[in-house]
């Protein structure tokens, strides 16, 4: 991990998942549903740090999701507070019950109503260009709605939600943070020296532009195809729920723009121009040359990911190519 990197950056690393028996799960759920029996249970895909279990109870036809926070206890309260903040404006799963302090030796957990839909990622694999365009526009509109929430200052978000310390104290935090990442042993083993030098030079050349992004909007922090559930609503593919708010920060919406468009290729566009059109139509603001600036902002996340000691080789190769494509101002060449 990068020396001096903020504590929240370490959350991106996967942790071993604890196994939960049906009896364990029923003990947790009894705090919300005193008389019931679990009739169906399956683990949901995704979630490197937390367990997400899809359940059906004999007392209801509805399905629910049990989310158990196995890594950082305070994240539970943070996600509950953010859910309550945005629920009237952004589609999020309804929280039925929350236990931010845990229960009987178990970690913190929430019980949410299950949302029908598929991930935006699954939709892109369908090859249905019309459906993808509709969902991309809805994603842009959703991101604009998220960005309407603001805080007194930029920084990492904690329970409340409240804005805490910034990425790094002092001037030019993004170029300095990238330099910290580039100095890590793990990243240096994966990225050639020439590319490291070019990455640092690019970030510092853009320092004045990046310094002007001192905004304090709500940023999801992991606004990607996996965390957006979509389905047909009134005949159009739309965002049904935004999941996993654990990385939320107060910053520029370009953080989420860069994340969402990370794999977009100008030569073979899929989300664009629908995503940005939806974002602007719903009130989002994009600076001049916004796509290039968003890619620069996203370099901080790409470089940070390369500092982890548990990144599979195939993923590391992909991340390095994304960095190289940004430095060379071209589309990524990925299989």
């Amino acid at each position: 991990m990068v020396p001096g990197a903020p504590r929240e950056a370490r959350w991106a690393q996967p942790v071993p998942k604890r196994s939960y028996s049906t009896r364990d799960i029923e003990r947790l759920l009894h705090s919300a549903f005193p008389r019931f029996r679990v009739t169906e249970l399956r683990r949901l895909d995704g979630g490197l740090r937390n367990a997400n279990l899809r359940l059906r109870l004999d007392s209801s036809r509805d399905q629910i999701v049990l989310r158990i926070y196995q890594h950082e206890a305070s994240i539970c309260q943070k996600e509950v507070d953010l859910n309550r903040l945005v629920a009237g404006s952004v589609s999020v799963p309804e929280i039925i019950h929350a236990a931010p302090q845990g229960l009987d030796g178990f970690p913190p957990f929430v019980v949410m109503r299950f949302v029908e839909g598929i991930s935006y990622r699954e939709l892109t694999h369908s090859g249905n260009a019309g459906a993808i365009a509709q969902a991309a526009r809805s994603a842009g509109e959703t991101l604009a709605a998220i960005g309407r929430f603001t805080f007194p200052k930029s920084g990492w978000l904690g329970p409340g939600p409240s804005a805490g310390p910034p990425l790094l104290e002092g001037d030019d935090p993004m170029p300095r943070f990238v330099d910290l990442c580039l100095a890590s042993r793990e990243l240096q083993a994966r990225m050639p020296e020439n590319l490291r030098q070019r990455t640092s030079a690019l970030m510092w050349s853009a320092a004045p532009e990046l310094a002007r992004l001192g905004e304090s909007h709500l940023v999801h922090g992991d606004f990607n195809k996996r965390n957006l559930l979509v389905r047909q609503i009134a005949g159009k593919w739309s965002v049904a729920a935004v999941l996993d708010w654990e990385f939320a920060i107060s910053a520029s919406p370009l953080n989420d723009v860069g994340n969402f468009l990370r794999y977009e290729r100008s030569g073979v566009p899929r989300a664009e121009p629908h995503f940005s059109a939806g974002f602007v139509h719903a009130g989002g603001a994009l600076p001049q040359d916004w796509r290039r600036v968003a890619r620069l902002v996203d370099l901080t996340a790409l470089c940070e990911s390369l500092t982890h000691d548990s990144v599979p080789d195939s993923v590391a190769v992909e991340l390095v190519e994304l960095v190289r494509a940004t430095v060379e101002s071209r589309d990524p060449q990925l299989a």
Side-chain angles (χ1 to χ4, degrees):
M1 183 62 209
V2 182
R7 177 170 58 91
E8 286 80 355
R10 295 182 176 87
W11 295 344
Q13 301 186 73
V15 297
K17 286 191 174 71
R18 173 177 172 179
S19 296
Y20 296 94
S21 67
T22 301
R23 183 175 181 179
D24 289 336
I25 292 166
E26 290 184 341
R27 285 179 61 194
L28 296 180
L29 293 180
H30 276 160
S31 59
F33 309 100
R35 292 179 292 276
F36 73 92
R37 185 172 61 86
V38 174
T39 58
E40 292 183 29
L41 183 159
R42 73 182 191 116
R43 182 182 290 275
L44 294 174
D45 294 334
L48 298 177
R49 292 151 301 283
N50 305 306
N52 297 289
L53 306 167
R54 177 176 170 180
L55 311 168
R56 192 186 298 274
L57 310 180
D58 61 358
S59 59
S60 172
R61 294 183 178 180
D62 295 334
Q63 297 182 76
I64 60 174
V65 173
L66 172 63
R67 180 167 168 84
I68 305 174
Y69 296 81
Q70 301 182 136
H71 185 51
E72 177 70 30
S74 66
I75 294 298
C76 177
Q77 188 66 62
K78 172 182 176 177
E79 289 202 305
V80 169
D81 293 340
L82 282 168
N83 183 287
R84 290 170 177 165
L85 175 69
V86 307
S89 304
V90 180
S91 296
V92 290
E94 177 190 353
I95 294 180
I96 302 170
H97 178 77
Q101 306 305 317
L103 181 71
D104 296 336
F106 287 93
F109 64 94
V110 296
V111 181
M112 301 176 286
R113 202 170 302 281
F114 176 74
V115 178
E116 292 287 349
I118 62 173
S119 72
Y120 180 91
R121 181 180 182 181
E122 290 176 82
L123 182 63
T124 61
H125 291 165
S126 73
N128 186 331
I132 295 169
Q134 291 175 1
R137 184 178 180 89
S138 178
E141 294 169 345
T142 299
L143 184 56
I146 291 172
R148 293 188 199 118
F149 296 92
T150 59
F151 298 89
K153 63 177 182 177
S154 60
W156 298 104
L157 291 181
S162 60
L167 178 74
L168 282 179
E169 297 285 356
D171 297 333
D172 300 316
M174 279 190 271
R176 289 169 48 226
F177 181 75
V178 167
D179 278 353
L180 280 173
C181 294
L182 295 172
S184 78
R185 180 181 58 188
E186 291 80 6
L187 183 146
Q188 290 187 0
R190 295 163 175 150
M191 186 186 296
E193 181 179 1
N194 177 263
L195 181 56
R196 298 198 304 270
Q197 293 173 348
R198 295 171 67 191
T199 301
S200 177
L202 176 63
M203 290 298 290
W204 281 105
S205 70
E209 287 179 281
L210 298 173
R212 290 194 288 270
L213 300 178
E215 302 167 87
S216 52
H217 297 266
L218 174 59
V219 169
H220 180 272
D222 201 16
F223 196 79
N224 59 42
K225 300 173 183 177
R226 184 184 64 252
N227 287 329
L228 296 180
L229 286 183
V230 298
R231 69 167 183 262
Q232 283 190 297
I233 301 174
K236 293 176 60 177
W237 281 91
S238 304
V239 173
V242 182
L243 310 177
D244 295 359
W245 292 77
E246 59 188 295
F247 296 111
I249 59 175
S250 170
S252 166
L254 287 184
N255 286 271
D256 282 340
V257 171
N259 192 319
F260 184 81
L261 294 177
R262 181 176 291 174
Y263 294 92
E264 183 78 354
R265 293 180 292 173
S266 59
V268 190
R270 304 187 80 178
E272 279 296 295
H274 319 289
F275 172 73
S276 58
F279 181 72
V280 172
H281 176 76
L286 291 173
Q288 187 176 10
D289 204 10
W290 62 270
R291 183 70 183 96
R292 179 183 61 84
V293 179
R295 293 184 77 182
L296 292 174
V297 173
D298 195 44
L299 267 181
T300 62
L302 295 173
C303 289
E304 197 277 334
S305 295
L306 283 163
T307 68
H308 299 174
D309 57 10
S310 56
V311 179
D313 290 344
S314 60
V315 174
V317 169
E318 181 176 296
L319 291 170
V320 169
E321 167 56 17
L322 289 166
V323 171
R324 190 184 300 277
T326 302
V327 170
E328 297 176 357
S329 189
R330 61 168 173 79
D331 285 343
Q333 298 175 1
L334 301 170

